[in-house]
Amino acid sequence: MEKADLYKELEQQARNLLGGERDPIANAANFSALIWEMLPDINWAGFYFRKSGWLVLGPFQGKPACSRLQMGAGVCGTAAAKGKTLVVADVHKFDGHIACDEASNSELVVPLMKYGTVVGVIDLDSPLFNRFDQEDAKGIEALASFWVLASADIP
Ligand code: SME
């Protein structure tokens, strides 16, 4: 399947999956599972939520990961602090990268934006170098916006 079609399908399935559910954890759990099922060459997919200056682990698929990341540190913390999507072709060249799974070689982190503030991130890791491009970034950004719209605030 072409990447553009894959992301159209992913968003459609996300819409179908919600069925009016507003619980943020339930929706994050299902979105992680959907990304995991649909995107090839991914070894970790999940959510971190912003809580008192930290990013705290939310629902995910993949190996157990760091429970808590500092805002501004690593790929997730940098994306969250800047409110910007980060596409990292080689995580070993990213200053401060935090290795939760040694198999990860590239990474995509998309901030979850609500009312102009960052409430968390979606993080995808791949064992391939240069796995993610701008099309992946746009596709996951659309999914992130949809999660924010569909879900109530994180408690
Ligand atoms: N690599 C991330 C940490 C989270 S894990 O990849 C699940 C980072 O540098 O922020």
Side-chain angles (χ1 to χ4, degrees):
M1 205 190 282
E2 291 285 317
K3 243 184 210 182
D5 295 332
L6 190 62
Y7 282 106
K8 254 187 234 156
E9 176 73 18
L10 188 66
E11 205 178 331
Q12 192 52 52
Q13 291 212 21
R15 285 178 195 280
N16 295 343
L17 203 56
L18 281 180
E21 180 58 62
R22 298 271 302 148
D23 186 276
I25 302 296
N27 291 341
N30 264 335
F31 277 28
S32 308
L34 199 59
I35 291 169
W36 184 256
E37 283 300 314
M38 289 193 62
L39 296 190
D41 304 314
I42 302 286
N43 64 316
W44 203 89
F47 285 67
Y48 279 91
F49 297 118
R50 186 178 191 173
K51 294 182 181 179
S52 317
W54 294 89
L55 290 171
V56 181
L57 185 62
F60 68 95
Q61 301 278 313
K63 286 197 176 156
C66 318
S67 313
R68 202 173 272 269
L69 306 169
Q70 211 155 15
M71 283 292 288
V75 186
C76 291
T78 304
K82 291 186 170 164
K84 291 230 160 70
T85 295
L86 285 184
V87 178
V88 180
D90 179 352
V91 293
H92 310 288
K93 292 188 180 148
F94 188 96
D95 198 20
H97 167 252
I98 299 156
C100 291
D101 181 346
E102 281 175 16
S104 302
N105 283 319
S106 61
E107 186 160 356
L108 167 64
V109 181
V110 173
L112 299 163
M113 305 294 301
K114 189 157 198 173
Y115 309 127
T117 58
V118 177
V119 297
V121 297
I122 295 180
D123 179 22
L124 305 190
D125 286 15
S126 172
L128 304 184
F129 289 98
N130 205 13
R131 160 67 182 79
F132 305 104
D133 59 17
Q134 284 308 311
E135 221 168 340
D136 295 293
K138 296 288 166 250
I140 298 300
E141 280 170 358
L143 205 67
S145 308
F146 182 53
W147 178 86
V148 170
L149 270 179
S151 308
D153 291 346
I154 287 287

